[in-house]
Amino acid sequence: MQHSPGFLALVNEAKKKITEISVAELRARLEVNPSAVLVDVREDHEWQAGHARGAVHLGRGIFERDLERRFPDKDMELILYCGGGYRSALAAESAQRMGYRRVVSLIGGYRALLMAGWPVETGSGGSSGTANRPADTGG
């Protein structure tokens, strides 16, 4: 997808203010902190088509509205992803502005997870609020 210059400018500004992590770092964080939550911020139709196993869905369109209700503990570790790492960067910046102290964005988003062989599922599964820890995610 070709992104507009204005959108890219917003994303680049957000990325200066947030922490981004790789899939390898994601794997390590989930091993160290089993209570960390993997949050998919993509649109409903993207989530239904496929998402990381055990992820929680909180779409970008309602992210700020529902974040505090869904995750009242602002010290909870939240690892956000979208399709390619742009929308999750914007959401991470918003979460930080709302007082969340342990929020990061996944570099490459869902595409990076797929390339790394991360377990995925379709439909509405995985919305329980905790991420499943894959035993072996293929690298």
Side-chain angles (χ1 to χ4, degrees):
M1 167 179 264
Q2 184 73 22
H3 295 298
S4 70
F7 174 73
L8 292 175
L10 283 175
V11 170
N12 289 333
E13 276 303 307
K15 287 185 174 192
K16 293 177 186 176
K17 301 171 188 170
I18 65 163
T19 300
E20 294 183 285
I21 64 169
S22 67
V23 173
E25 291 169 307
L26 166 63
R27 191 175 290 116
R29 282 180 183 238
L30 292 177
E31 286 179 17
V32 171
N33 182 7
S35 64
V37 180
L38 188 57
V39 182
D40 186 322
V41 302
R42 298 176 304 149
E43 299 297 321
D44 292 347
H45 70 278
E46 294 172 288
W47 164 264
Q48 291 291 331
H51 53 270
R53 185 172 64 210
V56 173
H57 185 230
L58 188 57
R60 184 74 184 102
I62 60 167
F63 184 80
E64 291 84 358
R65 185 193 75 188
D66 293 356
L67 182 63
E68 290 172 305
R69 185 176 63 226
R70 190 82 178 264
F71 304 108
D73 179 0
K74 293 189 177 185
D75 284 317
M76 174 177 277
E77 185 171 9
L78 302 175
I79 303 164
L80 312 182
Y81 78 88
C82 60
Y86 296 92
R87 291 171 288 173
S88 59
L90 295 172
E93 181 191 24
S94 290
Q96 285 179 178
R97 291 177 62 195
M98 292 173 69
Y100 286 83
R101 293 171 278 281
R102 299 176 66 204
V103 59
V104 298
S105 175
L106 182 65
I107 298 166
Y110 188 65
R111 285 189 291 279
L113 291 171
L114 290 176
M115 289 178 59
W118 199 272
V120 297
E121 57 191 13
T122 58
S124 61
S127 62
S128 64
T130 58
N132 293 332
R133 305 306 175 257
D136 179 19
T137 55

